[in-house]
Amino acid sequence: QVQLVESGGGSVPTGGSLRLSCQISGYTGGDCLAWFRQGPLNKREGVAALYTGTNDRYRGNSYYDNSVKGRFTISRDTADGTLSLQMNSLRPEDTAVYYCAAAPAGCGLHPLLYKHWGQGTQVTVTV
């Protein structure tokens, strides 16, 4: 059974940085790990995704929403499998609950691809 546990959220001022982590267990053979967020409007949107499958054509590919390109970086620790999201130059509009998610097949930023979800961690960016 796949389990995802996020950590690292908190409150930071505009321009600050945070690093989110997602501890993953039971995830083998899937195509994609990603970070989503759900803000005050309650819409769950994809932030960043990382291809984890075996197709060499896509190995190492990452995908970012335009709103976070150049500010956020998704990565995975090869030693223990932890998924991370380094968030720099944070803005008030980045305030949301951030979720880690795993997809069995396919990779991208659409939530329907993802079967497994963590419980989320709150990120608040103050003015």
Side-chain angles (χ1 to χ4, degrees), residues 64-103:
Y64 294 93
D65 184 78
N66 285 337
S67 65
V68 305
K69 279 182 183 176
R71 301 189 297 124
F72 291 12
T73 303
I74 188 171
S75 61
R76 191 178 187 198
D77 188 308
T78 54
D80 65 8
T82 299
L83 184 72
S84 296
L85 184 69
Q86 177 66 42
M87 306 187 295
N88 299 327
S89 302
L90 282 161
R91 306 166 179 168
E93 53 265 38
D94 295 319
T95 294
V97 177
Y98 283 71
Y99 297 90
C100 175

Side-chain angles (χ1 to χ4, degrees), residues 1 8-9 15-16 22 25-26 30 35 41 44 50-51 55 68 71 80 85 91-92 94 96 100 103-105 111:
Q1 183 177 353
C22 178
S25 59
W35 289 97
L41 297 179
R44 189 166 293 193
L50 180 68
Y51 179 74
N55 191 328
V68 305
R71 301 189 297 124
D80 65 8
L85 184 69
R91 306 166 179 168
D94 295 319
C100 175

Side-chain angles (χ1 to χ4, degrees), residues 27-52:
Y27 176 74
T28 56
D31 270 0
C32 203
L33 295 170
W35 289 97
F36 286 78
R37 65 186 179 187
Q38 190 162 330
L41 297 179
N42 240 22
K43 178 183 176 183
R44 189 166 293 193
E45 58 179 9
V47 174
L50 180 68
Y51 179 74
T52 58

